[in-house]
């Protein structure tokens, strides 16, 4: 069945630059706090909108002086902090193309991106200088290697003195909405990373959908969106959704620990939280959760991977707050989710945004009836879809089927229009003719009190074609025994259709993950294939 989206009530203006949006807010409210930065040590510092825009203007002037201009591709490898915010805004101001990179990328990842995208300048976090030095000689397009502070290194320019002496005023370029603004590489969960291009108009759509309908950011909010720079997710929430609403971003530069996060949520009285399912899952396993008083928290969202029911129940019990799931991709914005005011159906991702027309389709591109599993697809006229994969028109073309953009994920829709995620098309397990989504098996396994994490994949089997095999990390101090294997299998059979239970279970200490923390089932699948 097909969902009819309402007429798209928003139209992206023909010229749009998100940095100009922030300029306008800052000139009306220069003293409003834009960033509240908290270090691992507990020290904190606030930057107002006026200060942030002045800083971004100086950065824009420094780039211009260096010769970095509109249309140039600039790779940014900075951790959470003022420099990242100032640099992203400064690059938008000059009309450049931002290539977000994580500070966790290594030499070969960096080299791949520089060569693939023809990167002209790199702005790096100082510890990355040696990594980049090992590959820079082979990167012909690379003209500038820039760093904030500490650049005694040959071939590197310290931006700080340039920024300090630059002017505080800058006229933000009036970009066309169809110019490329962002070149974001995907997580590489299913293979090599792909260069996804987004336009200057994209943040306009993202603000209308994700910031407004899902996170529900208001000007008075203190918002903690935990994603780190380098992925589209940072641009989604910590950058566009907060600054585009005049709210204050809570920026924690320390490391993740579930109790530390809970203490910060309490002591700073965060009002909106956007975190990953793994972060929620680990917080939900903390003892005496209700001792933390999260009185101001009114909106909590999760995206990036499936959200387990267990987490939703635990947060509801401890804090009386509904953790709302959201589904989207680097290639889009938020598409499907439990939007504000929508009744939640735990285990489902929610429904498409009123601005998105989504359906479950078959291989011929026809919408499937309620309850049938197929490809999750989005009407290709949707305003916030990507411009294409860089230098890969064939792959871009393959992601469309008739009028549909095909996400590469599978799911089903219920009679009320809620979407249920089954798994990435490549991760789906077919065993004795049954189609099994790994998420349901993993979700059941992590409900067991001794299980910390789990991943289910297809393992070749001479009789059944494939069987479900689960890789399981046990909670600290638990040893995996044959009895525990039976117990976990029994446990899954009670929670899902019995044919879905993992016929094989292997206890492991860790699971292969992407830099952004997603499980790479492709590696586990390969391992099983090699073993057979
Ligand atoms: P690659 O495309 O390189 O394999 P990736 O798809 O993991 O990497 P992203 O664009 O960061 O890169 O992630 C989008 C994918 O994450 C979605 O296609 C989906 O598989 C998964 N995902 C995102 N949000 C959710 C969610 N709420 N529930 C289930 N899965 C989700
Ligand atoms: Mg993908």
């Amino acid at each position: 069945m097909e969902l009819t989206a309402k007429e798209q009530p928003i139209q992206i203006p023909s010229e749009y630059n998100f940095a100009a949006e922030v300029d306008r807010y800052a000139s009306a409210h220069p003293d409003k706090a834009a960033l509240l930065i908290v270090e691992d040590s507990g020290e904190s510092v606030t930057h107002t909108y006026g200060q942030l825009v002045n800083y971004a203007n100086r950065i824009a002037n420094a780039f211009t002086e260096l010769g970095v201009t509109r249309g140039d591709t600039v790779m940014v490898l900075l951790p959470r902090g003022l420099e990242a915010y100032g640099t992203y805004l400064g690059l938008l101001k000059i009309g450049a193309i931002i290539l977000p990179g994580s500070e966790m990328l290594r030499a070969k990842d960096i080299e791949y991106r520089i060569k693939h995208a023809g990167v002209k300048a790199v702005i790096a976090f100082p510890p990355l200088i040696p990594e980049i030095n090992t590959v820079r000689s082979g990167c012909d397009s690379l003209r500038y290697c820039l760093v904030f502070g500490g650049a005694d290194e040959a071939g590197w320019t310290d931006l700080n003195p340039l920024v300090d002496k630059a002017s505080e005023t800058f006229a933000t370029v009036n970009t066309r909405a169809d110019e490329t603004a962002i070149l974001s590489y995907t997580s590489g969960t299913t293979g090599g990373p792909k260069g996804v291009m987004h336009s200057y108009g994209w943040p306009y759509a993202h603000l209308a959908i994700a910031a407004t309908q899902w996170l529900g950011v208001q000007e008075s909010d203190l918002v903690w969106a935990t994603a780190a720079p380098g992925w589209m997710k940072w641009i989604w929430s910590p950058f566009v959704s907060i600054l585009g609403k005049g709210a204050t971003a809570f920026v924690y530069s320390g490391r993740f620990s579930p109790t530390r996060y809970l203490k910060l949520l309490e002591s700073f009285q965060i009002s909106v939280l956007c975190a990953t399912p793994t972060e929620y899952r680990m917080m939900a396993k903390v003892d005496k959760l209700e001792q933390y008083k999260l009185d101001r928290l009114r909106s909590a969202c999760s995206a990036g991977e499936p959200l387990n029911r267990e987490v939703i129940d635990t947060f509801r019990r401890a804090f009386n707050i509904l953790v709302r799931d959201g589904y989207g991709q680097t290639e889009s914005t938020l598409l499907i989710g439990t939007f504000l005011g929508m009744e939640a159906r735990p285990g489902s991702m929610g429904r498409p945004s009123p601005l998105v027309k989504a359906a479950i389709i078959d291989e011929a591109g026809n919408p499937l009836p309620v309850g049938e599993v197929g490809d999750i697809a989005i009407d290709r006229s949707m305003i916030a879809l990507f411009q294409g994969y860089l230098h890969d028109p064939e792959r871009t073309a393959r992601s469309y089927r008739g009028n549909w953009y095909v996400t590469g994920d599978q799911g089903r829709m219920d009679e009320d229009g809620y979407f249920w995620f089954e798994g990435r098309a490549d991760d789906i397990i077919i065993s004795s003719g049954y189609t099994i989504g790994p998420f349901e098996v993993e979700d059941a396994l992590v409900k067991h009190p001794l299980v910390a994490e789990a991943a289910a994949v297809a393992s070749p089997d001479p009789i059944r074609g494939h069987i479900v095999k689960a890789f399981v990390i046990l909670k600290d101090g638990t040893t995996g025994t044959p009895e525990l294997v039976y117990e976990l299998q029994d446990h899954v059979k009670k929670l899902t259709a019995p044919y879905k239970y993992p016929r094989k279970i292997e206890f492991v200490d860790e699971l292969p993950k992407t830099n952004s923390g997603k499980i790479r089932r492709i590696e586990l699948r390969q391992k099983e294939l090699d073993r057979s």
Side-chain angles (χ1 to χ4, degrees):
M1 204 185 84
E2 195 173 332
L3 276 186
T4 41
K6 298 186 190 91
E7 283 288 293
Q8 289 191 353
I10 59 163
Q11 275 271 299
I12 300 177
S14 57
E15 285 182 341
Y16 185 74
N17 188 329
F18 175 70
E21 187 100 61
V22 182
D23 291 346
R24 271 191 298 280
Y25 186 81
S27 59
H29 309 273
D31 299 326
K32 172 74 193 287
L35 313 175
L36 167 60
I37 299 181
V38 178
E39 309 282 337
D40 214 357
S41 62
E43 252 173 80
S44 68
V45 53
T46 300
H47 302 279
T48 65
Y49 272 88
Q51 289 166 335
L52 176 61
V53 166
N54 287 347
Y55 182 57
N57 285 343
R58 287 173 186 277
I59 293 178
N61 281 315
F63 287 142
T64 308
E65 192 144 315
L66 281 167
V68 179
T69 53
R70 187 169 181 170
D72 286 343
T73 303
V74 180
M75 181 170 189
V76 187
L77 293 153
L78 296 171
R80 299 174 177 93
L82 174 66
E83 286 85 0
Y85 279 91
T87 301
Y88 275 63
L89 283 175
L91 288 171
L92 293 179
K93 279 172 170 282
I94 64 173
I97 301 171
I98 302 174
L99 193 168
S102 158
E103 90 246 29
M104 287 185 291
L105 296 184
R106 299 280 77 99
K108 73 168 182 15
D109 310 312
I110 295 172
E111 181 182 26
Y112 175 76
R113 286 162 172 74
I114 294 174
K115 287 186 173 163
H116 186 244
V119 168
K120 185 169 176 186
V122 164
I123 302 163
F125 179 49
L128 283 175
I129 292 176
E131 293 282 330
I132 297 169
N133 281 346
T134 63
V135 296
R136 68 181 286 186
S137 64
C139 298
D140 299 335
S141 62
L142 189 61
R143 300 253 309 273
Y144 307 99
C145 288
L146 310 167
V147 68
F148 285 97
D152 295 334
E153 292 274 338
W156 287 81
T157 305
D158 187 352
L159 273 170
N160 281 338
L162 300 179
V163 170
D164 286 345
K165 71 172 189 340
S167 158
E168 238 172 47
T169 53
F170 185 87
T172 297
V173 170
N174 239 343
T175 39
R176 290 189 322 277
D178 64 1
E179 278 179 69
T180 302
I182 302 158
L183 174 60
S184 183
Y185 285 77
T186 57
S187 301
T189 312
T190 51
K194 299 162 283 210
V196 173
M197 297 182 285
H198 278 293
S199 68
Y200 267 85
W202 177 87
Y204 188 90
H206 181 73
L207 271 174
I209 298 175
T212 308
Q213 300 177 335
W214 182 59
L215 271 179
V217 179
Q218 292 167 9
E219 208 182 332
S220 56
D221 279 322
L222 178 59
V223 186
W224 189 6
T226 62
W231 312 103
M232 204 56 196
K233 197 62 205 315
W234 188 79
I235 296 179
W236 274 34
S237 294
F239 187 60
V240 170
S241 293
I242 302 177
L243 297 185
K245 290 284 181 183
T248 305
F250 179 81
V251 182
Y252 175 58
S253 57
R255 291 175 64 88
F256 173 77
S257 115
T259 48
R260 179 95 182 108
Y261 266 39
L262 287 159
K263 280 188 196 131
L264 288 166
L265 284 166
E266 178 182 75
S267 53
F268 287 91
Q269 288 291 295
I270 305 291
S271 56
V272 177
L273 174 66
C274 182
T276 64
T278 308
E279 289 166 339
Y280 279 113
R281 210 155 40 228
M282 291 177 72
M283 286 192 271
K285 300 229 170 194
V286 168
D287 274 345
K288 302 204 194 71
L289 203 53
E290 54 300 333
Q291 69 178 296
Y292 299 95
K293 300 288 170 237
L294 313 187
D295 304 327
R296 235 191 118 203
L297 188 64
R298 60 169 186 79
S299 168
C301 290
S302 161
E305 280 193 290
L307 177 68
N308 310 93
R309 271 171 242 211
E310 186 74 359
V311 168
I312 300 177
D313 295 343
T314 309
F315 268 69
R316 195 150 26 195
R317 261 198 315 272
F319 308 119
N320 192 27
I321 185 126
L322 174 68
V323 181
R324 291 174 297 114
D325 195 6
Y327 164 86
Q329 301 184 304
T330 304
E331 290 87 341
S332 63
T333 170
L334 193 87
L335 300 167
I336 297 168
T338 304
F339 290 91
L340 285 170
M342 183 188 280
E343 189 201 316
R345 210 158 271 188
S348 123
M349 305 192 291
R351 287 197 305 237
S353 148
L355 296 170
V356 171
K357 182 174 162 188
I360 302 295
I361 62 168
D362 66 14
E363 293 194 340
N366 300 310
L368 284 166
V370 160
E372 279 189 32
V373 173
D375 294 309
I376 302 175
I378 307 298
D379 188 299
R380 67 186 297 166
S381 66
M382 217 282 274
I383 52 171
L385 282 180
F386 68 146
Q387 297 176 300
Y389 295 113
L390 181 72
H391 304 322
D392 204 345
E394 275 156 32
R395 190 192 280 274
T396 307
R398 273 206 307 277
S399 48
Y400 290 96
R401 198 178 294 161
N403 277 329
W404 299 101
Y405 161 72
V406 184
T407 58
D409 293 313
Q410 297 223 313
R412 65 193 157 80
M413 191 175 73
D414 67 19
E415 59 285 359
D416 299 315
Y418 284 78
F419 279 63
W420 298 74
F421 183 79
E422 283 283 329
R424 294 161 184 276
D426 300 342
D427 287 343
I428 299 286
I429 305 160
I430 299 175
S431 178
S432 304
Y434 289 114
T435 303
I436 302 167
F439 171 56
E440 199 183 346
V441 181
E442 294 162 8
D443 192 51
L445 282 166
V446 298
K447 280 208 176 90
H448 191 279
L450 296 177
V451 173
E453 269 194 274
V457 298
S459 174
D461 182 84
I463 297 160
R464 296 186 167 81
H466 288 96
I467 55 163
V468 178
K469 163 141 185 198
F471 291 83
V472 171
I473 304 181
L474 294 172
K475 281 205 168 170
D476 283 346
T478 313
T479 13
T481 57
E483 290 72 37
L484 188 54
V485 170
Y486 295 130
E487 189 179 321
L488 292 179
Q489 288 173 330
D490 227 39
H491 167 84
V492 175
K493 281 186 205 163
K494 283 187 194 130
L495 295 177
T496 68
Y499 66 84
K500 295 182 180 175
Y501 86 93
R503 286 176 188 270
K504 278 193 201 160
I505 290 183
E506 181 176 336
F507 297 109
V508 291
D509 295 329
E510 55 181 4
L511 293 171
K513 289 194 174 161
T514 62
N515 278 329
S516 56
K518 297 187 186 203
I519 300 172
R520 296 197 77 220
R521 292 180 193 79
I522 186 176
E523 278 182 35
L524 299 172
R525 219 166 33 234
Q526 192 56 46
K527 197 161 134 185
E528 288 309 295
L529 204 62
D530 295 346
R531 278 181 184 167
S532 72

